[in-house]
Amino acid sequence: MIKRFVLYNIAGIAGTMIYLLLMLLLVQFLKINAVFSASISYVFLILFTYIANTNFVFKDRDKTNSSLLKFVIVSVAGFLLNGGIVYLTVN
């Protein structure tokens, strides 16, 4: 249980680092709009965390279509929330 907790946190921290580094690259260096950059970065974040969690953290669980569907639903909700927050803070 503790091992899974540690791996889950490592995957989350790594995902957050990917998100932040992509945002930095896209906004500061490539001068892309912050809301669009946040959208691109968030897509990479959810792809990374899904792959990391299914292959390393919860590798002993069944990989069913229902778990993927739940992940997609939660990710889309987070995507919309993230985009809204970035839009409100930038504009």
Side-chain angles (χ1 to χ4, degrees), residues 45-91:
L45 167 70
I46 61 173
L47 289 173
F48 174 81
T49 55
Y50 181 77
I51 292 167
N53 283 323
T54 56
N55 292 318
F56 300 108
V57 180
F58 303 108
K59 62 185 171 188
D60 57 334
R61 294 198 180 171
D62 290 332
K63 295 172 180 71
T64 62
N65 289 338
S66 66
S67 67
L68 176 61
L69 179 62
K70 290 175 188 174
F71 185 82
V72 168
I73 290 169
V74 170
S75 296
V76 167
F79 177 80
L80 294 172
L81 183 63
N82 182 62
I85 290 170
V86 171
Y87 178 80
L88 291 174
T89 56
V90 171
N91 293 323

Side-chain angles (χ1 to χ4, degrees), residues 2-79:
I2 292 175
K3 180 182 176 184
R4 183 173 287 170
F5 176 76
V6 170
L7 289 173
Y8 183 79
N9 282 298
I10 290 170
I13 291 168
T16 301
M17 295 303 297
I18 288 169
Y19 176 84
L20 293 173
L21 289 172
L22 272 174
M23 281 293 292
L24 179 68
L25 173 71
L26 295 172
V27 174
Q28 295 296 321
F29 295 107
L30 299 178
K31 306 298 184 199
I32 296 175
N33 175 280
V35 176
F36 186 68
S37 297
S39 300
I40 293 169
S41 299
Y42 195 83
V43 169
F44 277 93
L45 167 70
I46 61 173
L47 289 173
F48 174 81
T49 55
Y50 181 77
I51 292 167
N53 283 323
T54 56
N55 292 318
F56 300 108
V57 180
F58 303 108
K59 62 185 171 188
D60 57 334
R61 294 198 180 171
D62 290 332
K63 295 172 180 71
T64 62
N65 289 338
S66 66
S67 67
L68 176 61
L69 179 62
K70 290 175 188 174
F71 185 82
V72 168
I73 290 169
V74 170
S75 296
V76 167
F79 177 80

